Amino acid sequence: MSRLNLTTQRKAILDLIQSCEDHPTAAEIMERLRMNGHQFAYGTVYNSLRYLTDAGLIRELKLGETASRYDGRTEDHYHIVCKKCGRVDEVLSAPPAEWIREVAAKTNYDVHHSQVVFEGVCYSCKHPNA
């Protein structure tokens, strides 16, 4: 995108997502905006999320759930999802370069990007009384 058009609404949504420790859905973003005193229409939020994603300012995560989640971190990283509660955490370790080379060799692709999603059970679900 050549020139950014950060309207007041887009800026508020971007600031909210970049300050999140989690990976909120659009509905959670709407609720948090309301809690912060904003009254944006659903269409405005969804259109702003699409704009910010297309501009590369946020990432849309499709992790096998019905609702997309949004991430303020745009550098390459991966995620792990709890199969019990749906919690999503960051994985900052990169896949081994050998693995990327093997995938490229077996598929005859030039690999430019990878998206890896790990699944498991988080500590809280594993130890509910801890």
Side-chain angles (χ1 to χ4, degrees), residues 5 7 11-12 38 51 56 62 69 74 78 100 102 109 112-113 119 127:
N5 180 15
T7 62
K11 179 77 170 109
H38 299 288
Y51 179 88
K62 297 181 182 189
R69 293 178 172 268
T74 57
Y78 305 96
I100 301 295
E102 182 180 331
Y109 274 67
H112 296 254
H113 173 75
E119 295 179 344
H127 305 285

Side-chain angles (χ1 to χ4, degrees), residues 69-117:
R69 293 178 172 268
Y70 295 90
D71 191 348
R73 295 182 78 156
T74 57
E75 71 278 6
D76 280 343
H77 66 283
Y78 305 96
H79 298 90
I80 187 164
V81 180
C82 179
K83 295 303 286 178
K84 284 192 172 186
C85 69
R87 176 184 168 141
V88 178
D89 285 303
E90 310 280 342
V91 176
L92 301 177
S93 302
E98 182 179 316
W99 185 47
I100 301 295
R101 284 192 297 273
E102 182 180 331
V103 168
K106 286 185 177 181
T107 62
N108 202 27
Y109 274 67
D110 289 334
V111 178
H112 296 254
H113 173 75
S114 63
Q115 181 175 336
V116 177
V117 177

Side-chain angles (χ1 to χ4, degrees), residues 36-85:
N36 290 335
H38 299 288
Q39 295 296 325
F40 301 150
Y42 280 104
T44 300
V45 173
Y46 282 102
N47 290 337
S48 295
L49 290 169
R50 174 64 35 226
Y51 179 88
L52 295 169
T53 299
D54 290 347
L57 297 174
I58 62 172
R59 281 188 169 182
E60 180 180 11
L61 306 176
K62 297 181 182 189
L63 303 172
E65 302 171 348
T66 54
S68 293
R69 293 178 172 268
Y70 295 90
D71 191 348
R73 295 182 78 156
T74 57
E75 71 278 6
D76 280 343
H77 66 283
Y78 305 96
H79 298 90
I80 187 164
V81 180
C82 179
K83 295 303 286 178
K84 284 192 172 186
C85 69

